[in-house]
Each structure stands twice: as C-alpha cells, then as structure tokens.
Amino acid sequence: MSDSAALPLYMRRSLFDPDPELVAVREREGVRCVPTPFGLDIWVVTRFADVREVLGDPVRFSNARQPRPPGAPPLSREQLAAVRAGNLLMYDPPEHTRLRRMLTPEFTMRRIRRLEPRVKEIVADHLDAMEAAGPPADLVASFALPIPSLVICELLGVPYADREEFQRRTTRLLDLSLPMKERAEARDGARAYMGELVARSRKEPGDDLLGMLVREHGEELTAGELAGIGDLLLLAGHETTSNMLGLGTLALLRHPDQLALLRKEPERIGAAVEELLRWLSIVHSGVFKVTTAEVEVSGVRIPEGAVVACALPAANRDPALVPDPDRLDLSRGDLGHVAFGHGVHHCLGAPLARMEMQIAFPALFERFPGLREAGPQPGFRSMNVVYGLTSFQVTW
C-alpha cells in the first residue's frame, strides 16, 4: 500500500481499494488529465462504460502508437521494430489479428482443459512441500509464484530451472521505480533469452506451444516475432496469476464470511474467482492507448495524440456495473468485469488463469483449514505494472 504522491493517480491503491482521489474522478468528471513521474501527461478514464468504449475501439485508441517518455533512450526504426516484434499488446489490427489468430486455438477452453490434471498435480506438489516444511510459510514464495510459473513454463517449453533468472528480469522490467535504462536492459535480456529458446525450438520443435508455432506457422513468423510472442506469454502467464493467488488469499482471509461461504458451497468457485478478479483488478491499466483523432469521452474532449490510461480498478468498482461495488461478494457471479481487458486485446490467457485459480484456491483452503496470517504485515508492491504482494507470511 502506498499513499505516495509519486505514484501516478491510476496506480494508487488503499490496500485492496482504488485510491479515494481516483474514485472521486469517476464520480465527478469521469476523465482527467494528470501528470505522472514518467514525464507524460496521461488522460485517465475511470468509468466502466467509458473504459469498455476505449478498449473496444482500436481505431481511435491505438496500441501501436506507443508514447516515448522524456528521457527515454532514442530508438531507430529498426530497434523499435525489434522491440515490438511479436508483442501483441503493441499492435493494432490487422497486424494484431494476424498474430492472435495463430495463438487463439491453443487457448480455447477445450485445449486448456487438457492441462487440468497437470495443474492439479503441480498445486498438490506445492501444498505437499508447504506441509512438509511446516509453518510459517511465505505464501508468495512457496505457493502463489511458483505454481503459475511452472504451468506457463511447461506450456511454452521454457526450462523451469531458468525461472529464477527470468523472474528476476520480469520483476525489474515491471518495476516502474527503477531507472528506464535498467528496465530496458531487463527487456532486452528477456528477449535475448527467448530468442535462444526459439532458435533451439526451430531446430527441434517439441510438443509445447513454441514447438507448435514453429511447426504450424514457422514460415509466417520471423524469429523475432516468435521470441516476442514467447516473451509476452511467459511474462503474462506467471506474473498476473501469481499476484491474484497471493492477493486473493489475503482478501479471503480478511473476509471470513466470504471464505466461509466458499467452504460451505465449493461449487461457487467459478463465481468467486470472477468476483475476486473484479474486486482486486491487479492490472492497473494495461497498455497505454494513444488517440488517433480528437475524441470525446464522458463529455471530456481528449486531443489527438494524447496518451490514455484505463483505470481498471475504478471501472470494476463502478456502481453502474454492480450495486455496492466496494463490497466483496462471492455470490454475485460473472458480471462482465474488465479485469482481463476488453475488445481485440482481451487477455488471451484468461481461460488458463481462471482454471489455475479455480483449482488452487480450493486446494489451499482444503489442505489448510486453519490457514491464517502469521505477521508481519504483507508487503504490497505499489510501483509496479501489476499490483500484488512481495511477501505474505501464513501459518495453519
């Protein structure tokens, strides 16, 4: 948690909640232009309907026209193309459509269900290790982080033995408090690592996702695009789900009535995951958009070439979406939140993330019925692209 004014408005939190000032923007004007410590003025969109409008319109709100913050090292056209290659979040249709259609079949519910037995095995293995080591345990290090990491490593064909190094790079890449040069080095290191895996996969394609892309689309995709796709999936596949598992467990422990409801009616797990996704909204805003023309949102005129951020926590707590939005209520069901985004960039891995959470949360609370906080207070990561916990001591 941080009240620091150094945090840009759309990233400020008060424990589980969006910052009161962000809520005030939603309730008053809906859209506000705010300064940021990155040297950019950003138009923050806060209301649910407006966020869906922005996310659903790649023509007026472009992902491809990414802003360059003042002080960022200049990139040549070739360098920029190399950084963007394969990263779906930095493309607009039709280029985005070309890449996404190659990946979509691998992330259908039918394909994801094939992974279910293995995910259950991975979860059980980590619970066994926690139980054997005994309390207290850091839930982040022993459960929330390693499970999604192992799942995405196996799906992509990334050696799990390399996880510590790529997690270290990811942490540096997403930590906005670090100098831009250091984050750029982490980005380049991650891309180089994935480039080596792609080269290996092109020689001997395995049964994993990288191998599938090489076999089925090797003629259509450059080595740079393959590396970019793998890099994005690796980062997104472990970073988001792991923070949902850590923060979601803390939320349930601090709302014992809701945890009791889930224990009593375990069939509610699907609805529970959706409500946790809505209520926590761990991704502050996703990728910035840049307007391609002057636009009007909530009666506010935004000029052409402006940088726009969608405040997902504020949108998902909008009273226009759900009554009493600040209350965690696992009985609500799926209300169409924007925690996974919306439109053409809606999270490709959402079915996998949902399945992991629907397996991991019940297994954790079944194995440790007396699970509780052990102190000290959990560490929150504020100045990060993805909100979550750095550490969380539990006992049972």
Side-chain angles (χ1 to χ4, degrees), residues 231-252:
D231 198 34
L232 175 63
L233 292 177
L234 181 61
L235 183 152
H238 82 267
E239 192 66 28
T240 49
T241 309
S242 67
N243 283 291
M244 272 302 301
L245 288 175
L247 204 58
T249 301
L250 180 63
L252 290 170

Side-chain angles (χ1 to χ4, degrees), residues 75-105:
L75 296 176
S76 67
R77 183 174 296 181
E78 292 76 16
Q79 288 172 317
L80 182 60
V83 167
R84 292 180 63 214
N87 186 338
L88 278 75
L89 298 179
M90 297 182 74
Y91 288 98
D92 297 327
E95 293 87 353
H96 171 270
T97 313
R98 176 183 76 89
L99 292 171
R100 181 148 178 149
R101 70 174 171 79
M102 300 180 199
L103 290 166
T104 300

Side-chain angles (χ1 to χ4, degrees), residues 24 47 49 68 97 106 109 154 254 260 295 316 322 342:
R47 292 174 182 160
R68 192 169 73 86
T97 313
E106 294 303 307
M109 277 309 301
E154 290 194 5
R254 292 195 177 179
V295 296
N316 279 333
V322 58
H342 174 69

Side-chain angles (χ1 to χ4, degrees), residues 120-143:
K120 286 181 176 176
E121 187 180 337
I122 289 169
V123 168
D125 287 347
H126 284 81
L127 291 173
D128 289 345
M130 276 179 66
E131 192 170 22
D138 181 348
L139 192 83
V140 173
S142 57
F143 184 78

Side-chain angles (χ1 to χ4, degrees), residues 163-281:
R163 72 192 180 284
E164 286 188 14
E165 184 57 37
F166 75 65
Q167 282 170 0
R168 194 159 34 245
R169 279 194 296 264
T170 297
T171 300
R172 287 165 55 215
L173 177 63
L174 298 181
D175 185 349
L176 300 180
S177 69
L178 293 178
M180 213 169 299
K181 183 173 182 291
E182 192 172 333
R183 293 177 59 223
E185 287 170 357
R187 177 202 66 205
D188 294 343
R191 183 60 69 101
Y193 168 74
M194 191 57 68
E196 293 172 11
L197 294 185
V198 165
R200 203 179 309 161
S201 191
R202 283 194 141 171
K203 288 178 183 173
E204 285 186 58
D207 295 329
D208 49 72
L209 187 54
L210 280 180
M212 179 281 293
L213 287 171
V214 167
R215 283 193 306 275
E216 297 184 15
H217 303 288
E219 298 301 314
E220 303 168 73
L221 293 167
T222 65
E225 286 176 328
L226 280 165
I229 290 170
D231 198 34
L232 175 63
L233 292 177
L234 181 61
L235 183 152
H238 82 267
E239 192 66 28
T240 49
T241 309
S242 67
N243 283 291
M244 272 302 301
L245 288 175
L247 204 58
T249 301
L250 180 63
L252 290 170
L253 290 177
R254 292 195 177 179
H255 293 79
D257 60 324
Q258 296 303 300
L259 180 54
L261 176 64
L262 186 57
R263 288 187 192 278
K264 182 182 174 186
E265 301 175 22
E267 67 275 10
R268 286 189 184 274
I269 185 58
V273 164
E274 297 309 314
E275 176 67 349
L276 286 167
L277 284 162
R278 178 198 73 82
W279 197 73
L280 295 170
S281 297

Side-chain angles (χ1 to χ4, degrees), residues 303-347:
E304 179 182 355
V307 183
V308 176
C310 291
L312 302 183
N316 279 333
R317 299 284 191 96
D318 191 337
L321 170 64
V322 58
D324 197 6
D326 293 323
R327 179 169 54 88
L328 180 66
D329 181 357
L330 303 190
S331 66
R332 290 190 206 271
D334 184 1
L335 299 159
H337 58 73
V338 287
F340 283 124
H342 174 69
V344 297
H345 290 285
H346 181 269
C347 177

